[in-house]
């Protein structure tokens, strides 16, 4: 009974290892087709295996080493026909497109800035001589007037608060005096 369980566990472990190796082979083939570099982390993710498995299993290490050897350029062979060249060409074309787009956007922004500066100059030319100085002086005067009104408003608020406190005090005092007079008002006056 014990040996059958052990044999079953060994068979299951071998089957799981074989499945992991098959997934690793598929991941290596996909990396080769996509001209992607072979890294342990990427293979572990793609093949859904642990990095430990890739480091500890001899067959997995052999498969990775074969893939690395196959992806290295052979000595004496020109790199012009390399698989990486189409990727670099595509990146260069994308960079050129992005550069052209950026240059168009810069031209558009410069045109807009020039239009706005022209409008500002037109507005400045429409003002008569000395009007700018007059506007600045009026603005300063108005700011001083606003400050003075703010101070006056604050003083009036303080006075109003004091008047309300005095009014409450007086209401309280009147209520106290009325309370003191109540006994005299409710009793009948003495007869002579």
């Amino acid at each position: 009974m014990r040996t059958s369980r052990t044999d079953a566990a060994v068979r299951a472990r071998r089957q799981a290892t074989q499945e992991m190796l098959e997934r690793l082979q598929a991941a290596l083939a996909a990396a080769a087709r996509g001209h992607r570099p072979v890294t342990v982390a990427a293979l572990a993710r793609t093949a859904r295996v642990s990095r430990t498995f890739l480091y500890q299993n001899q067959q997995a290490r052999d498969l990775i080493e074969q893939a690395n050897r196959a992806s290295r350029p052979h000595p004496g062979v020109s790199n012009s026909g390399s698989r990486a060249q189409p990727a670099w060409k595509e990146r260069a074309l994308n960079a050129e497109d992005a550069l052209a787009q950026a240059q168009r956007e810069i031209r558009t922004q410069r045109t807009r800035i020039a239009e706005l500066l022209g409008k500002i100059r037109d507005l400045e030319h429409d003002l008569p001589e000395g009007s700018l100085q007059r506007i600045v002086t009026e603005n300063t005067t108005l700011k001083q007037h606003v400050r003075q009104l703010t101070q006056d408003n604050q003083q009036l608020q303080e006075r109003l608060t004091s008047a309300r406190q005095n009014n409450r005090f007086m209401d309280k005092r009147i209520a106290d005096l009325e309370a003191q007079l109540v006994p005299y008002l409710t009793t009948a006056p003495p007869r002579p």
Side-chain angles (χ1 to χ4, degrees), residues 12-170:
R13 180 68 184 150
R14 284 183 183 152
Q15 179 65 31
T17 302
Q18 188 60 36
E19 289 173 3
M20 287 190 276
L21 288 172
E22 289 171 3
R23 289 196 307 261
L24 176 61
Q25 286 175 337
L28 286 168
R33 280 191 307 273
H35 307 295
R36 292 188 305 267
V38 177
T39 63
V40 173
L43 286 174
R45 277 192 307 273
T46 307
R48 298 181 324 272
V49 296
S50 69
R51 292 181 189 185
T52 306
F53 172 78
L54 296 178
Y55 287 122
Q56 290 180 351
N57 187 291
Q58 183 61 43
Q59 289 176 325
R61 284 196 316 253
D62 290 343
L63 288 172
I64 293 171
E65 182 58 34
Q66 287 173 0
N68 280 333
R69 269 189 260 125
S71 67
R72 286 188 210 131
H74 298 289
V77 176
S78 169
N79 274 347
S80 62
S82 169
R83 288 179 255 161
Q85 188 177 6
W88 284 107
K89 281 184 179 178
E90 188 174 324
R91 288 182 191 153
L93 290 173
N94 289 341
E96 287 176 1
D97 290 342
L99 179 62
Q101 175 71 21
Q103 288 173 342
R104 282 193 298 273
E105 189 172 326
I106 289 170
R107 275 195 300 274
T108 303
Q109 294 296 329
R110 285 181 179 169
T111 304
R112 181 73 178 137
I113 289 170
E115 290 172 359
L116 293 173
L117 286 174
K119 287 181 180 180
I120 290 171
R121 277 191 224 108
D122 290 346
L123 290 173
E124 287 176 349
H125 288 300
D126 290 344
L127 295 175
E129 287 293 322
S131 62
L132 184 61
Q133 183 61 34
R134 181 180 50 83
I135 291 172
V136 170
T137 305
E138 285 179 11
N139 190 24
T140 305
T141 305
L142 287 173
K143 285 181 181 178
Q144 290 173 349
H145 189 62
V146 166
R147 267 190 243 114
Q148 183 62 41
L149 288 174
T150 303
Q151 289 174 352
D152 292 347
N153 186 23
Q154 188 176 5
Q155 288 174 350
L156 288 173
Q157 286 291 341
E158 291 170 0
R159 286 182 185 175
L160 179 61
T161 303
S162 297
R164 286 179 178 160
Q165 288 176 348
N166 286 341
N167 190 24
R168 278 192 292 259
F169 175 76
M170 293 308 232

Side-chain angles (χ1 to χ4, degrees), residues 173-186:
R173 180 74 179 133
I174 289 171
D176 288 344
L177 290 173
E178 286 176 350
Q180 289 174 2
L181 289 175
V182 166
Y184 297 109
L185 296 173
T186 56

